[in-house]
Amino acid sequence: MIYVALGSNIGERASYLSEAIQAMEADGLHVTKQSAVYETAPVGYIEQPSFYNMVVEVATTRPAEEVLSLLQRIEQRLGRERLFKNGPRTIDLDILVFNGEDIQSKHLSVPHPRMHERAFVLAPLAEIAPLLEVRGKTVQQLLAALPESERSDVIRLESLPSLVDPV
C-alpha cells in the first residue's frame, strides 16, 4: 500500500483536503483508508496559519515516479505555489511509504526522509496503520519516541466528517 500525507493552511483547508482526495480518485489513485483531520502548528517557518493534516492509504498499480507526478499536478491544479521552503500552501501531498520500497532518486525519497521526526505525519498515519513498519520500527513506536511537546501540538479534529467514503 501507498501512504500519502496531505496538508493545507491557506483558505478553506478542509475543502482543499477533500478536493485533493477527489482528484486522486479521479486520476486513478484509489483511497482505501483515511485518517481523521488534525490541526497542527507549522514547522520550520512558523509565521503562518496552522495546518490541517491527514494521511490516506492509496491503492494503485502505477510506479512511484508516476504517482509523484500525478500528486504534483493535483497540487498545481489546487493552486499550490512554492514560494519558499516550508511556506504556506493550499495543499501539500507527500508520498510517505510506497509498497514498503526504499526509493532514492533525484525527485523522490521513500520512505519520506523526515516522517519519523514529524508528529503531524505520524499521528494520522498511526491512526490508519499503527503497525506499519518504517525502517525497522512501527509507526506507533516512531510516534511514541517523539517528545510529548511535539505530540501535544497535533490535535485531532472530531467535528470534521470523513472526507471520502473508503471501500
Side-chain angles (χ1 to χ4, degrees), residues 43-55:
V43 172
Y45 176 68
I46 59 172
E47 297 299 321
Q48 60 181 320
S50 63
F51 280 83
Y52 276 7
N53 291 99
M54 66 182 301
V55 172

Side-chain angles (χ1 to χ4, degrees), residues 70-111:
L70 190 146
L71 294 176
Q72 289 174 338
R73 285 193 304 271
I74 292 170
E75 287 178 339
Q76 289 173 346
R77 286 196 313 255
L78 294 178
R80 169 85 190 257
E81 294 181 333
R82 297 174 189 272
L83 301 176
F84 56 92
K85 185 178 170 101
N86 296 322
R89 60 209 83 154
T90 54
I91 193 70
D92 185 25
L93 304 171
D94 289 325
I95 299 172
L96 301 175
V97 175
F98 195 93
N99 294 328
E101 296 176 30
D102 187 359
I103 303 169
Q104 304 303 317
S105 72
K106 181 179 178 183
H107 304 289
L108 182 62
S109 292
V110 176

